[in-house]
Amino acid sequence: MQRVLDTLALLGLSGVLLVAFWYQFVEGELPCPLCALQRVGFIVAGVGLVLNLRAGYAPSHYGIALLGAVAGGSASLRQIALHVVPDTGTYGSALLGFHFYTWAFVGFGALVAYVGAMLLLFPARGDVRAPPSGAIARFACLLFLVLTAANAVAFLLQCGFGPCPDDPTGYIW
Amino acid sequence: MVMALPFVMALAAALLAYAGRRMPALVLAALTAVVQVWWLLYHATSDLSIVL
């Protein structure tokens, strides 16, 4: 059961990264620095889930997922705060009435709740248990790895070896 | 400040996690979160482009 839930959560994180890529490459909306930091938060959280699926379950793996969720949530909250005052503009397009930084904050909140629920429902019995296997879990891990690598390449192309501009207009490479 | 750095670190952590290298993956993922917060401080303390 734990493996199924972690696999679904990891697929959900990959879905978030895929939607971000869709808007970046199909809709032409380049990610801002705070958007990038929110993606990093989702990826760090995903590393904890990959550890669960590949190395066995441990509270420390959920701890890393929690760390990523809190760090990413901080970036999304900062971006919400930038635009919360009326007539201060927004960044990017909206989906179902909310901008992506708002959705990201909702996602990070859901991730924190998920980790709390998993630790309550499946308390640790000793240290790391035997790693589970399964084709869908492996697919979820590989998809997440590919999307993480694609993000690293995309931000190298967009920002090079420096900071990203606050309002990006194109790729430097 | 290299924006791609936390992505490269996270990729390395994810690869280590996939390979089952638990402790190196945990350490690298935690360091990635530290760099992420560091970069966030850099961007969160820049001038606001609004007039109140």
Side-chain angles (χ1 to χ4, degrees), chain A residues 32-34 36-41 43-44 47 50-51 54-56 58 60-61 64 67-68 71-75 78 82 85 88 127-128 138 141-142 144-145 148-149 151-152 155-156 159-164 166, chain B:
Chain A
C32 60
L34 289 172
L37 295 175
Q38 288 159 52
R39 288 194 201 183
V40 173
I43 292 172
V44 170
V47 170
V50 172
L51 273 169
R54 297 292 296 174
S60 56
H61 302 166
I64 279 295
L67 204 59
S74 305
R78 162 66 178 172
L82 277 177
V85 177
T88 51
D127 197 11
V128 178
R138 274 201 303 278
C141 291
L142 286 173
F144 176 76
L145 278 178
T148 303
N151 266 293
F155 277 97
L156 271 175
C159 313
F161 294 106
C164 286
D166 285 338
Chain B
M1 196 204 80
V2 183
M3 181 51 87
L5 177 63
F7 287 98
V8 175
M9 291 173 70
L11 174 61
L15 287 170
L16 288 167
Y18 188 79
R21 301 284 306 277
R22 184 172 169 260
M23 197 47 70
L26 279 173
V27 170
L28 201 49
L31 283 175
T32 305
V34 170
V35 171
Q36 195 264 13
V37 172
W38 189 348
W39 275 205
L40 174 60
L41 286 176
Y42 173 88
H43 284 289
T45 51
S46 59
D47 292 338
L48 291 176
S49 56
I50 58 175
V51 178
L52 296 176

Side-chain angles (χ1 to χ4, degrees), chain A residues 76-87:
Chain A
S76 58
L77 192 60
R78 162 66 178 172
Q79 199 166 6
I80 291 170
L82 277 177
H83 302 298
V84 76
V85 177
D87 301 324

